Amino acid sequence: MTASVDVKASPDRLYGRHRGHPLRARQQRLMDQTLPRLRFAESAIADPATGFGRAPEQIWLEVGFGGGEHSLAQHAANPDVGYIACEVFENGLCSLLSRVVPEGGEETAPVPDTLRIWDEDARILLQRLPDASIDRMFLMFPDPWPKSRHAKRRFIHPETVKMAARILRPGAVWRVASDDPTYQAWVEEVMGAQDLFETAPPVKQRPEGWPPTRYEAKALQAGRQPFYWTFVRR
Ligand SMILES: C[S@@+](CC[C@H](N)C(=O)[O-])C[C@H]1O[C@@H](n2cnc3c(N)ncnc32)[C@H](O)[C@@H]1O
């Protein structure tokens, strides 16, 4: 699928599906048979509660789930929450899907009612979901784009922050984590210059209830210090 929405409001180009190594047979089945059963339908964007197998209590959105560890842990701990997990990288999609259905069950094994996958640029959802329709958002270790000429590609960006604020209900929490010093300073700068979210200084220990991610483990192993922010929609 290719993005077909007006992207003028986006800070930069939208991402299409990212392909890494050629897919193995199991991965191809996950993409062909399991992903369609878990995909958050375009037709549900206007009323996102209808995008799940049963009415969710709240709706949470994760941008760039990577291998899916955080999404799956949040979903397991909060099964009544409708969780929209966004990722464009095929290997990441396969990684999450492979932990949802067993080998051989790609087409038939039951899939969770309240977990859905958006396999296009998350900013399409930020543009098209209704106002105040999301109760919580996660951005865990976004791609840092450390060169200043690539700053427009950073997910935290004045334009994206406005888009996030529109879809988050008042009081909704937006959790952000980053281990990259340039990005950390950038988050402080961008979030310090807006008044749509209440801000607080980041903490340096992963708070309770924040499941670990693969990228975080790599950062810690390499001696980088993650920052964890909690922003609250005013
Ligand atoms: C550095 S990785 C971190 C992955 C994971 N959150 C973790 O902590 O292990 C960032 C991920 O975000 C995904 N990503 C970047 N921009 C995105 C976008 N606009 N929509 C959806 N996914 C995106 C990338 O494909 C990549 O897998």
Side-chain angles (χ1 to χ4, degrees):
M1 257 193 285
T2 328
S4 59
V5 293
D6 176 3
V7 297
K8 288 197 192 84
S10 284
D12 199 36
R13 71 193 160 81
L14 291 176
Y15 293 104
R17 176 77 60 67
H18 285 222
R19 194 154 273 170
H21 298 295
L23 299 182
R24 295 187 298 275
R26 153 93 160 145
Q27 291 179 310
Q28 195 63 58
R29 288 197 302 277
L30 290 167
M31 293 301 291
D32 294 344
Q33 299 170 352
T34 315
L35 179 58
R37 299 196 291 129
L38 271 172
R39 188 176 271 135
F40 185 73
E42 295 235 10
S43 56
I45 296 178
D47 185 3
T50 62
F52 302 92
R54 63 187 160 94
E57 280 177 1
Q58 294 192 8
I59 303 180
W60 295 0
L61 179 71
E62 179 169 352
V63 176
F65 62 69
E69 310 80 27
H70 179 274
S71 303
L72 291 173
Q74 287 290 6
H75 166 68
N78 304 282
D80 295 326
V81 166
Y83 202 95
I84 308 175
C86 306
E87 180 54 64
V88 289
F89 192 52
E90 271 190 350
N91 294 79
L93 292 162
C94 289
S95 168
L96 183 149
L97 294 168
S98 70
R99 281 178 281 160
V100 172
V101 293
E103 177 102 44
E106 293 83 3
E107 195 164 17
T108 51
V111 292
D113 276 346
T114 50
L115 175 68
R116 289 293 176 267
I117 292 177
W118 179 257
D119 59 322
E120 293 187 52
D121 194 310
R123 289 174 294 177
I124 297 176
L125 289 182
L126 266 62
Q127 287 178 319
R128 292 173 52 189
L129 282 165
D131 293 358
S133 57
I134 300 297
D135 297 283
R136 186 170 289 199
M137 194 163 131
F138 305 96
L139 178 66
M140 306 300 292
F141 301 92
D143 296 315
W145 298 109
K147 292 184 181 144
S148 51
R149 71 170 188 277
H150 290 148
K152 283 186 87 184
R153 296 188 185 173
R154 297 175 191 156
F155 196 89
I156 294 277
H157 182 281
E159 288 306 316
T160 328
V161 170
K162 278 188 220 152
M163 290 155 71
R166 187 188 64 76
I167 64 165
L168 287 167
R169 67 162 173 75
V173 159
W174 184 9
R175 292 181 180 177
V176 178
S178 175
D179 62 304
D180 181 90
T182 307
Y183 207 94
Q184 291 168 343
W186 171 257
V187 173
E188 289 286 280
E189 184 186 324
V190 172
M191 296 308 285
Q194 56 76 50
D195 58 5
L196 297 166
F197 291 88
E198 279 169 31
T199 61
V203 297
K204 296 182 181 175
Q205 281 290 326
R206 178 158 36 77
E208 188 86 16
W210 290 50
T213 76
R214 194 183 295 180
Y215 194 86
E216 178 199 57
K218 282 190 201 160
L220 293 171
Q221 214 167 15
R224 294 192 295 272
Q225 170 64 65
F227 282 13
Y228 305 89
W229 290 268
T230 301
F231 302 118
V232 181
R233 176 72 172 107
R234 289 188 203 273

